[in-house]
Amino acid sequence: MIKDSDCRSWFSAADLLTQDASAPVALIGAPLGLGSITPGRCDLAPSAVRAAMKRMSVYDLETETDLSALRVFDRGDADIADLEPAQALAPLTACIAPLTQTHALTIALGGNNAITRPCAHALDPALQRVGVLTLDAHFDLRDTDCGLTNGNPIQALLDDGLPGAHIAQIGLLPFANTRKAHEKAKAAGVYVATAAACKAQGLAAIAENALARLAARCDLIHVDFDIDVIERAAMPGAPGARPGGVSAQDFFDAARLICAHPKVRSVDLTEFDPSLDVASVGALTAARWACEALAGFLKR
Ligand SMILES: [Mn+2]
């Protein structure tokens, strides 16, 4: 028998997960499913992504990057699956904050996009030292007068006092956002890059510009990877994805670049709804995203 035979199995990305809290990277599931404008099952995503990580090896032959020595503390899932976004703010912030204080990078697996607000609060309750970068087809600047949803976490953060100049939003799609939202972003001084700009210049190159801008103003950065920024044909498992979005490869390249930045202390992956997934495309895209985040972290 061959020593360490891989004829039936391999050391997978899921094998990097540990209960050892001294690992440099932390991962927490944030199964927030309620409060989505399009009702769905984003609460199923954390377990679906962990399962798909078993299908990923830890080696990237393109860059000869090997994740096998890295460990990721798996905090498990926050107990928020039955909560609305407004109710989840305090408990999710309380779960994530200690992770960000003891780990160089914390990965929050959503859940819908409403988890982005507690992620920012976890880094800085006063919201004056933190910057937020979103990769998203949408501004998420809907009004909050009807309550908190996955469509207004950025508006809620502005209402909380996050300066608009501490926000960068890239990958925005035509006919998926209102004039009102765009005008709010411009008035607040938010850095905005359309999907067309991201496709022309590269999502990673745009993200690099956005991070440089935020890093000049902020000590800590949270990045929201709303998976609906990807072209809908490549991401049927995201209710908000639309034709015209960026490619999965662009999403991966951006994840690696972003997670190499030392000021990026937390990232979230949101809006993956496994109940809409086709042929595991969404699960495998999310699992590859997690591998790219770790590969980026290794470059620090
Ligand atoms: Mn979003």
Side-chain angles (χ1 to χ4, degrees):
M1 202 168 168
I2 300 171
K3 184 175 178 295
D4 300 328
S5 170
D6 59 6
C7 72
R8 298 300 296 255
S9 65
W10 60 28
F11 186 82
S12 77
D15 294 317
L16 303 177
L17 302 178
T18 175
Q19 297 304 303
D20 179 356
S22 71
V25 179
L27 180 144
I28 181 169
L32 187 66
L34 299 180
S36 290
I37 291 170
T38 304
R41 294 303 307 272
C42 288
D43 57 306
L44 300 176
S47 55
V49 176
R50 286 192 188 87
M53 287 172 71
K54 295 176 186 161
R55 299 169 68 178
M56 310 301 294
S57 96
V58 294
Y59 181 63
D60 164 18
L61 81 170
E62 291 177 338
T63 58
E64 302 192 6
T65 298
D66 190 340
L67 305 179
S68 59
L70 186 60
R71 289 296 176 272
V72 178
F73 170 55
D74 189 350
R75 154 70 176 72
D77 289 355
D79 188 15
I80 56 164
D82 300 325
L83 302 183
E84 294 284 344
Q87 301 167 310
L89 173 64
L92 195 49
T93 303
C95 288
I96 296 171
L99 297 175
T100 64
Q101 286 153 18
T102 49
H103 301 271
L105 177 67
T106 296
I107 298 172
L109 292 178
N112 69 34
N113 214 146
I115 74 164
T116 298
R117 181 179 176 224
C119 285
H121 279 267
L123 281 187
D124 174 18
L127 298 176
Q128 298 308 300
R129 298 173 56 216
V130 66
V132 174
L133 168 62
T134 73
L135 287 68
D136 195 328
H138 312 98
F139 284 111
D140 292 347
L141 285 170
R142 290 179 187 237
D143 295 318
T144 55
D145 57 309
C146 297
L148 296 180
T149 68
N150 64 338
N152 58 26
I154 304 303
Q155 181 61 52
L157 284 166
L158 285 172
D159 295 347
D160 293 336
L162 179 68
H166 290 198
I167 302 172
Q169 303 199 267
I170 68 176
L172 297 145
L173 273 182
F175 304 110
N177 295 280
T178 61
R179 176 190 290 272
K180 183 176 185 180
H182 192 193
E183 289 178 350
K184 279 182 183 177
K186 286 191 278 195
V190 172
Y191 174 99
V192 171
T194 65
C198 293
K199 287 185 282 188
Q201 297 172 49
L203 184 65
I206 295 278
E208 190 168 26
N209 289 342
L211 281 178
R213 182 182 147 95
L214 294 179
R217 294 166 166 79
C218 309
D219 302 325
L220 311 156
I221 297 173
H222 173 73
V223 183
D224 160 38
F225 291 83
D226 182 333
I227 206 163
D228 75 20
V229 74
I230 297 175
E231 155 72 32
R232 188 176 183 90
M235 189 44 61
R242 295 288 180 271
V246 305
S247 71
Q249 185 64 55
D250 279 354
F251 193 67
F252 302 147
D253 293 345
R256 190 175 303 202
L257 178 134
I258 287 166
C259 290
H261 197 292
K263 286 192 175 181
V264 173
R265 298 292 300 276
S266 57
V267 295
D268 69 50
L269 184 85
T270 60
E271 295 295 323
F272 169 41
D273 180 343
S275 76
L276 301 176
D277 204 5
V278 175
S280 302
V281 168
L284 291 168
T285 301
R288 168 79 183 266
W289 169 86
C291 292
E292 294 294 337
L294 297 177
F297 178 77
L298 269 192
K299 291 169 77 174
R300 291 188 186 186

